[in-house]
Amino acid sequence: MTVQDWFEKRKEAQIQRRALEARVEIEANPELWTKCVHCDSQLLRKDIEDNYMVCPVCDYHFRVNARTRIKQLFDEGSFEEMFTEIKPTDPLDFVDTESYKNRLEAAQKKTGLDDAVVTGLATINGHKLATAVMDFDFMGGSMGSVVGEKVTRIIEKAIELRLPVLAITSSGGARMQESALSLMQMAKTSCACARLDEAGLLYINLITDPTFGGVTASFGTLGDIIIAEQGARVGFAGRRVIEQTIRQKLPSDFQTAEYLMKYGQVDIVSSRKNLKETLSNILAMHE
């Protein structure tokens, strides 16, 4: 064995030992680590959190909940939540494999929210605005009566106070457990957006992953300026449904933020770390 062979063998043994030590540490402290679903890298959770919940290896944007989004985008302590008194009910006594009432209770316990949207007033670098922030963790961010009502009310409050509106969407669409009552929210929120436009006030959409269905077909894409977060999936029907309907294979990047930007469906595609500055600049230009 040559000296070079000896060094190579020693180097390989050190790499294997470090990999084993890392695996042991991960298994011993699973709560400290997260696996990137895009590149399979094992990452310290703190490193991801410090990087705006974005993978430092492949730049994959992890899905974040409403409270995290509020913390990331708005000035510290500026968010004033409104319309917390509006809570969901079970008007149809709906039951599938489980009752709607039980599903609501489970979602509320899981997220700490009453429903799939948080609304209120806030500032971004001192620029005041009204906002609705959706949370996909609450029943897939589905839009029922509460979501439609709270979005409509925050838009009406913005008209009253002469403020711009920022709607941050993350949704699978309408909430089937509320049937036609859910579908009615599309018209309701769209009419509110029309009144905001008539009042001459700025409406910004921030589309995050994923945004589909009735939200995309209503208030989620009616903004004066539409921003999509990098890598976000956006559409109405899902990819598989479309492929089965048209009997064609769709492009690999179909229904992504970048694909929509290419064909003029959105105005800006932004990485998460640049979103606050981008929004601040837009608000400053329209004051």
Side-chain angles (χ1 to χ4, degrees), residues 15 28 64 67 101 178 275:
I15 292 172
V64 298
R67 297 297 182 192
K101 182 179 179 182
E178 294 188 22
L275 276 176

Side-chain angles (χ1 to χ4, degrees), residues 32 43 65 80 149 210 220 243 260 264:
L32 299 179
L43 307 165
N65 60 33
E80 176 191 348
E149 180 66 16
E243 287 185 335
L260 295 179

Side-chain angles (χ1 to χ4, degrees), residues 108-120:
Q108 289 167 344
K109 183 177 180 181
K110 174 186 174 183
T111 63
L113 304 177
D114 291 323
D115 213 290
V117 72
V118 179
T119 53

Side-chain angles (χ1 to χ4, degrees), residues 60-64 69 134 136 168-171 206-212 228-234 255-257 272:
Y60 172 76
H61 285 48
F62 285 82
R63 191 179 297 159
V64 298
R69 185 74 64 178
M134 298 194 73
F136 193 82
I168 306 174
T169 56
S170 180
S171 175
L206 172 52
I207 306 174
T208 72
D209 184 66
T211 297
F212 280 88
E229 190 171 66
Q230 179 181 321
R233 291 167 297 156
V234 187
Q255 291 185 324
T256 63
R272 188 171 293 161

Side-chain angles (χ1 to χ4, degrees), residues 30-37 40-45 48 53 62:
E31 71 282 354
L32 299 179
W33 296 83
T34 295
K35 187 175 183 179
C36 178
V37 298
D40 288 336
S41 297
Q42 290 286 357
L43 307 165
L44 277 170
R45 180 172 291 276
I48 305 172
M53 293 305 293
F62 285 82

